[in-house]
Each structure stands twice: as C-alpha cells, then as structure tokens.
C-alpha cells in the first residue's frame, strides 16, 4: 500500500537504547536511579513518531549539538527540526532544561511528502534486549510519593522474575497492567505515543504526530500523560482520592510499535522504551455506571466535583469513577469513589466540560464547612508555580485555564453557589445542533472586550511570529473580531448571546426581579445577557453524550471511532495570545464580572425551583 499525504505517520522503532556515539549507554548509575555526575544532565528526546532517545548532556551542550547527536542516531538531517520543551522552543541555550526532562523533536513542516523519511533510529544503533533488562525511571523533579517509587521497584523486581505485563485489549489507546512479584496488578501504564491518533496506537486510531491536536482539539497528541500526573499533584492531600501517578520512562517488549522492526522475524524480542503515565491500579467492585448513584456519599461527589471544576475536566463520566465497597454489603452499602482517567483535563483553552455528576442530587447540596475551608485555601498561582516546577512541560495556556477555573470555584463557593450551579455555569448549551458559549465563557468574552477597548487606539497584531507549530484550535474558517479575540468557526457566536426571543427576554426580566442584589450596581448589557439556561435543555445534552471512553474503568466493553467518541468542540475564548500585562487586567475584569453572573445563576435556579414546585401548567 502506498503512503499518502494524510496516511498514518510511519515509524521504525518507538524507542531504543542507543549505543555510542550518543551516550555510550545508560550506565549503572541510571539503572540504580542515581543522578548523573555533577555538570551532566540526562534528558529523553521524543520524536513526533514516538521514538524516545536518551541523552546525557554536558555543560557545553546546546540545542545545535543535541540535534547533531540525534542526527547520527536517526540518520536524518535534524537542523531544520525544532527541539521543544513544553511551550519553549530551544534555539540554543539549554539551561532551562532540567534533569530527566522529556523533550520533543519535530520537523517544522507538518505537510510532508510520502517519500519523506521518518525520524527513527538506524537499525544498526538498536540494542537488542531481554525483558530482564526492563526498567522504570521516574522523570522530572517529581514530588511523587515514596509509595510510587516503591511501586516502581516492585514492578522492576517482577519483570526480572519473568512476570510480564498484560495489554488491555479494549479501549482507544494502549493501556497495560503491570504486576508485582506475586502476580497482582499494581499499576496502569499508558504510553504517550499509543494515545488515540498517536503514531503507535495499537487500536488503529492513528494518523497524527505528537504535538498535533488530538481527541480534544485543545489537548495535543502525546500530552495526556502529564495531565494524568498534574491531576494527582493538584489533588492536595488526596482530597478527591486520585490514585498516585507519575511520569516515567519505562522499557518492555510488550509495547506496541506500528510498521517497525519489532515485528521482524530476525528479532524475537526488542526492548521498547516509552514515556508514559504510571498510575496505581485500584482494585474495585464496579464503576459508577453499574451502581445506583443515589447511594454515593455526598462528600465523595463534592470532592471529585471540586477537582473537576479546578482542572476543567472534559471527560468525567461514570466509567472513570471506580466504586469500591467498604462494608462488603450488596450494592447499597458504604462505598468509596476513586476518580481515574484525567488525560483530558487542563485543556489549552476554555472547553465544554463533561461532568457526569452535574445532575446527581448530591451536587445540589450546599458545600460543607470543611469543603468551603478547603476551597478557600486553594491558591491557583501557587498551583501554577508547583506545576511549572514539577511538570515544566505543562503549557502556559493550560495553566491559565487552571487559574480561571480555580478563581471561579473560590468566588462561586464564597457567594453561596452549590456544585451543580457551578457546573451549569461552565457547561455549554446546545441549540439546533450549535454550541453556544457557557456563562463563564460569556464573562470571559466581555472581559476580553474590555481589554480590547483599552487597546482600540493602538491595536496590536495577533500574528506575531511564533516559530513553533501554530496550535490553531479552529483551523478552518476562524473569525477574529475587531477587538482581536477569536470567536471560533465561521459564525460569530458572541452575537448569538444577545439574540433572545421575546419569551426569553420576558423570562429573564422576571427572574432578574427575583434575586439580583442592589449592591451589584449597574451591570453591562452583555454580562446581563447571560443565558437563562433551562435544566431540561442541558439534561438532553448530557443524555446525548457518547458515553464512557473505552479505557474507562480500566477495561470497558466495545469502542467506537475516535471521532465519535469525543466530538471536537468550538473555541470561543483564546487565552494564550494575551501578554502578561493583558492577562493581569483580564483577571481583574473577570473577577469583577463574576458576581453579576453568580446573581444571574442564583436567579435562574430560583426560577427553576418555582416552576418545579408550581407545575409547568402555571402561567407566570
């Protein structure tokens, strides 16, 4: 079969342990988990096709010398490629790169001819290996618990004893159970280059390079792994019960490599190394889709919801809420909830979240004093600094989403909103097949418009030359408003916010009369046009959601096409194009506009409650 322009990207080897001249080999101090000698750093360079190469850097090394070393191993000119570390393009200086950091090597032109060779190591440089040499190395300056490190040691011991991992056949991506010496599953491993759409996906969902838009357009292929780790790090003190998670380099012959030398008859076993997320396997009785949700503890639902709001989880469905019985009594005894699968959190722009819990009765119960205290103590700016320190590859746009959502949570909880009301404010409405911006996105649009008014006299160009790959969330028919912010695909959705029927306007007037405090003062027309969303309309949207991703609950049944599973959504608000000064002003305006939005949401809730009590036949 001939290769085509849009065919799946080919690779020869997902990862190799390289002989000289690159690194000599990784010496014994690496295997023992010791740090390189003073003045030397170890990094892992991952190509867009999933190949991972380990390098030891001297103080004298720069981006050009690294590319030359990689060129020797890949047998392909790399000078025209980009070496990136999260948002940072490494043009020369490598001082910002820390020990054990994962870097990404991409060619600058993504539209390649079918004859373009791949960034893959030469076969002569591949070191054949046995499973006994399999290893797990925790990457970065992770603050992962001693439990995670002990778990890695237990897995390594089991691998040396010949206890192999098991691939999960269901699901959209590559998932593997790793075991301890007793043969018990202790960890779930998800390689970054086996995600849906990634080059080495074992389920046929391929076709994109690492770093390109993935299942969610604001979450890039190959970047769900560190989001899993970020969710664990942000779950302070195990508040929501996220299992311990770390980013690792892990080696084994079970890992998938598409169209490569791994399947060659001349090599029975090839040690394949991957960058992956490693998460503790939690034994459980079922997932939330198999259990009556009314029996779930209110505190457990609240704690998971608080985390989901903070990280803007776009994929919280019942399949990734594990249920474990605490008293061993039937289906309705005491249970514990364990949230998993956080790879689609912290998108690079405000997305439409999916909160399964939003219509559970527990979500409408007010927060407890302990929960309010926990929320009040959250500091999104400290959280961002922690993630920059522990996971420096996290992109700045994702950190801005974290800040916005945490501020929303803190201010809304202090105002008296419950979890369900906060979730409703974040969720988009679907009318006639079109998404409309959520109430929070409308607030952000107005905050951006206020910044635009300040800059109207001297507008700046949004096209300022980024050298790196432009991550355009709406590649086709984007519209940029005169104020300079992106409104998404070919329709100006902001104008839709102001288009209301006479009936909606009348309902809005009545609801406003119920509960908008006088201290709010005058509110701008746009902020007061926050949509009077009906609970029933949003309920329909949740019922239409495609449902659990096949990885959910570790191994669910059946799977659809990747496009069906999680549909692409529109981007209404762009955050990454704001300068630091603009971002500061934006946050000030955002916080000011939240209070009228909260009053609006409270009024909507009161109106809904009145209609429910009086019946739909009553005329208002």
């Amino acid at each position: 079969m001939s290769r085509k322009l849009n065919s799946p990207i080919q690779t020869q080897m997902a990862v190799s342990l390289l002989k000289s001249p690159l690194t000599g080999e990784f010496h014994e101090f690496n295997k023992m988990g010791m740090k390189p000698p003073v003045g030397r750093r170890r990094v892992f360079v991952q190509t867009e096709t999933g190949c991972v190469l380990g390098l030891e850097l001297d103080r004298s090394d720069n981006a050009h010398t690294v590319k030359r070393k990689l060129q020797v191993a890949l047998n392909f000119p790399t000078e025209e490629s980009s070496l990136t570390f999260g948002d940072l393009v490494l043009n020369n200086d490598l001082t910002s790169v820390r020990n054990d950091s994962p870097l990404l090597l991409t060619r600058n032109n993504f539209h390649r001819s079918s004859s373009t060779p791949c960034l893959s190591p030469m076969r002569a440089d591949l070191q054949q290996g046995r499973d006994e040499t399999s290893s797990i190395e925790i990457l970065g300056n992770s603050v992962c618990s001693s439990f995670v490190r002990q778990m890695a040691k237990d897995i390594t011991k089991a691998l040396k004893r010949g206890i192999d991992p098991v691939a999960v056949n269901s699901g959209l991506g590559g998932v593997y159970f790793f075991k301890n010496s007793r043969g018990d599953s202790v960890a779930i491993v998800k390689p970054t280059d086996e995600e849906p759409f990634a080059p080495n996906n074992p389920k046929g969902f391929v076709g994109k390079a690492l770093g390109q838009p993935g299942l969610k357009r604001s979450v890039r292929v190959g970047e769900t792994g560190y989001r899993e780790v970020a969710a664990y790090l942000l779950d302070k003190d195990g508040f929501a019960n996220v299992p311990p998670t770390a980013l690792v380099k892990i080696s084994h012959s079970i890992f998938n490599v598409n169209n490569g030398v791994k399947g060659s008859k001349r090599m029975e076993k090839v040690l394949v190394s991957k960058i992956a997320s490693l998460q503790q396997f939690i034994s459980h009785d079922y997932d939330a889709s198999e259990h009556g949700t009314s029996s779930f503890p209110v505190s457990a639902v609240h704690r998971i919801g608080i985390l989901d709001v903070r990280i803007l989880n776009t994929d919280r469905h019942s399949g990734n809420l594990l249920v474990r019985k605490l008293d061993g009594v039937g289906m309705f005894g005491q249970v514990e909830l364990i949230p998993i699968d956080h790879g689609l959190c912290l998108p690079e722009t405000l997305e439409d979240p999916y909160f399964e819990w939003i219509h559970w009765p527990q979500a409408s119960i007010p927060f407890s004093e302990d929960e309010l205290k926990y929320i009040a103590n959250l500091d999104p700016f400290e959280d961002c600094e922690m993630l920059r320190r522990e996971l420096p590859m996290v992109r700045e746009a994702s950190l801005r989403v974290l800040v916005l959502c945490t501020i929303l949570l803190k201010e809304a909880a202090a105002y008296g909103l419950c979890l369900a009301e906060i979730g409703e404010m974040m969720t988009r409405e679907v009318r006639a097949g079109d998404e409309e911006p959520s109430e929070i996105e409308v607030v952000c649009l107005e905050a951006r418009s206020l910044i635009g008014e300040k800059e109207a006299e001297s507008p700046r160009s949004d096209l300022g030359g980024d050298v790196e790959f432009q991550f355009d969330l709406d590649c086709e028919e984007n519209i940029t408003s005169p104020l300079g912010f992106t409104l998404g695909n070919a329709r100006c959705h902001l104008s839709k916010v102001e288009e209301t029927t006479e009936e909606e306007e009348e309902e809005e007037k009545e609801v406003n009369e119920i509960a908008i405090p006088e201290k709010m003062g005058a509110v701008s027309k746009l902020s007061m046009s926050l949509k009077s969303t009906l609970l029933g309309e949003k309920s329909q949207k949740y019922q239409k959601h495609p449902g659990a991703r096949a990885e959910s609950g570790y191994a669910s049944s059946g799977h659809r096409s990747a496009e069906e599973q999680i549909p692409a959504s529109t981007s209404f608000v762009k955050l990454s194009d704001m300068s630091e000064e603009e971002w500061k002003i934006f946050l000030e305006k955002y916080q000011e506009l939240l209070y009228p939005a909260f009053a609006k949401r409270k009024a909507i809730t009161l109106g809904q409650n009145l209609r429910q009590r009086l019946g739909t036949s009553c005329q208002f």
Side-chain angles (χ1 to χ4, degrees), residues 303-366:
R303 289 175 177 227
I304 291 170
I306 288 168
L307 175 68
D308 287 342
V309 168
R310 290 172 63 202
I311 63 179
L312 190 59
N313 195 344
T314 65
D315 193 33
R316 172 62 72 216
H317 53 77
S318 56
N320 56 37
L321 284 175
L322 305 182
V323 182
R324 182 164 57 186
K325 293 187 290 188
L326 297 179
D327 54 12
V329 179
M331 289 284 289
F332 300 102
Q334 293 293 318
V335 298
E336 176 185 28
L337 298 183
I338 301 101
I340 60 170
D341 288 351
H342 297 101
L344 293 178
C345 71
L346 295 177
E348 291 184 43
T349 187
L350 288 178
E351 277 273 7
D352 187 26
Y354 183 74
F355 300 145
E356 179 83 13
W357 43 256
I358 199 168
H359 297 310
W360 294 356
Q362 297 91 329
S364 295
I365 296 175

Side-chain angles (χ1 to χ4, degrees), residues 354-455:
Y354 183 74
F355 300 145
E356 179 83 13
W357 43 256
I358 199 168
H359 297 310
W360 294 356
Q362 297 91 329
S364 295
I365 296 175
F367 291 119
S368 69
E369 289 300 320
D370 287 342
E371 290 161 355
L372 288 173
K373 183 177 179 181
Y374 178 87
I375 293 170
N377 288 333
L378 293 173
D379 187 330
F381 302 103
E382 284 187 4
D383 289 340
C384 288
E385 287 305 313
M386 180 273 292
L387 290 179
R388 290 188 186 102
R389 184 173 62 252
E390 306 301 337
L391 292 172
M393 70 289 295
V394 177
R395 297 180 184 273
E396 197 64 28
S398 296
L399 296 180
R400 289 185 172 184
V401 168
L402 173 64
V403 170
L404 283 184
C405 293
T406 306
I407 289 175
L408 166 65
L409 173 66
K410 289 171 66 68
E411 299 292 347
Y415 188 86
L417 268 61
C418 66
L419 182 61
E421 291 171 319
I422 298 171
E424 289 282 0
M425 292 188 70
M426 300 176 72
T427 304
R428 292 177 184 172
E429 184 179 341
V430 179
R431 292 185 179 178
D434 287 335
E435 283 186 331
E436 294 188 4
S438 67
E439 295 166 34
I440 292 308
E441 286 174 305
V442 172
V443 170
C444 290
L445 287 170
E446 183 175 5
R448 288 225 58 166
S449 72
L450 295 176
I451 296 176
E453 290 171 4
K454 283 180 171 288
E455 297 180 342

Side-chain angles (χ1 to χ4, degrees), residues 209-228:
L210 300 180
Q212 289 185 306
L215 276 175
K216 284 286 185 180
R217 297 184 63 79
S218 56
V219 177
R220 308 186 196 212
V221 174
E223 296 189 359
T224 64
Y226 74 67
R227 286 176 164 84
E228 297 261 17

